[in-house]
Amino acid sequence: MATPAATPVTSASRRRQRSTRLTVAVGLLVLSAVLVAAALATGSWALTAAAAVLAVALGAAATRITHAELAQSRRDAARDRAEQAQAYRRMSDDRAAEHAAYVETVERRIAEREASIADLEQGLTAAQQRVADATLKVGAEARRADAADRARADLAADLDAAEERAAEAIVRMAELEQEVDVLRAELEVVTAAWQSAESLRKRA
């Protein structure tokens, strides 16, 4: 963002006013010097005295003009500094508001990612429990199949079904683990960005 400053039109107008006033002051001083020199050249004491008095008056007028110009320049500079300070304060307030909004957004994203991870972890736990249950069921069915030759066909069908459910649960568990890994990576990226923004704000 550009540094606040006076407009070019205002600056040019002020420079023209200063140039005109200083030119007038210098002209008065030159005029007083010319008058004194001319009076001295005539050799008349009265003209010299009158020229000296007039020179003092012109010098006082030039001094007054120069003093007024200096005071105006100081007032203009003070006004410019006040305007720049106000502009910088507004910029600082805007940046603080933008930073607060960014921090709020990052924190909301982190909360959403953490909630998603928690849900997926619950789903993963449930899938692991189903895998364990299915594995126990497979073992029980196998033992019953060995002990009961009479119901071998029925038990074989139940065993196949249990194995199929176990395979599905294992596949689902792997998918959930991949989703958890992806969300954790996103959380790490968002957290790193938020920490970097906080570090930049503290150094600013």
Side-chain angles (χ1 to χ4, degrees), residues 95-142:
R95 288 177 180 174
E98 291 175 358
H99 178 72
Y102 175 75
V103 169
E104 182 180 357
T105 301
V106 170
E107 289 177 347
R108 185 175 64 252
R109 282 175 159 180
I110 291 174
E112 291 174 354
R113 295 297 186 274
E114 288 178 345
S116 299
I117 289 174
D119 293 341
L120 289 174
E121 286 179 345
Q122 290 179 356
L124 178 61
T125 300
Q128 289 174 341
Q129 184 61 43
R130 288 195 297 271
V131 169
D133 293 342
T135 302
L136 291 175
K137 189 173 183 179
V138 168
E141 292 294 338

Side-chain angles (χ1 to χ4, degrees), residues 5-18 80:
T7 62
V9 175
T10 303
S11 299
S13 176
R14 290 176 183 172
R15 284 195 296 270
R16 284 196 298 271
Q17 290 176 358
R18 283 196 293 269
D80 289 341

Side-chain angles (χ1 to χ4, degrees), residues 27-55:
L28 291 176
L29 291 175
V30 172
L31 179 59
S32 65
V34 170
L35 289 175
V36 170
L40 290 174
T42 60
S44 173
W45 182 87
L47 289 177
T48 302
V53 172
L54 184 58

Side-chain angles (χ1 to χ4, degrees), residues 1-4 83-98:
M1 189 175 292
T3 302
E83 291 175 354
Q84 289 180 358
Q86 291 176 357
Y88 280 123
R89 184 167 56 252
R90 287 193 296 270
M91 288 169 54
S92 178
D93 293 341
D94 292 342
R95 288 177 180 174
E98 291 175 358

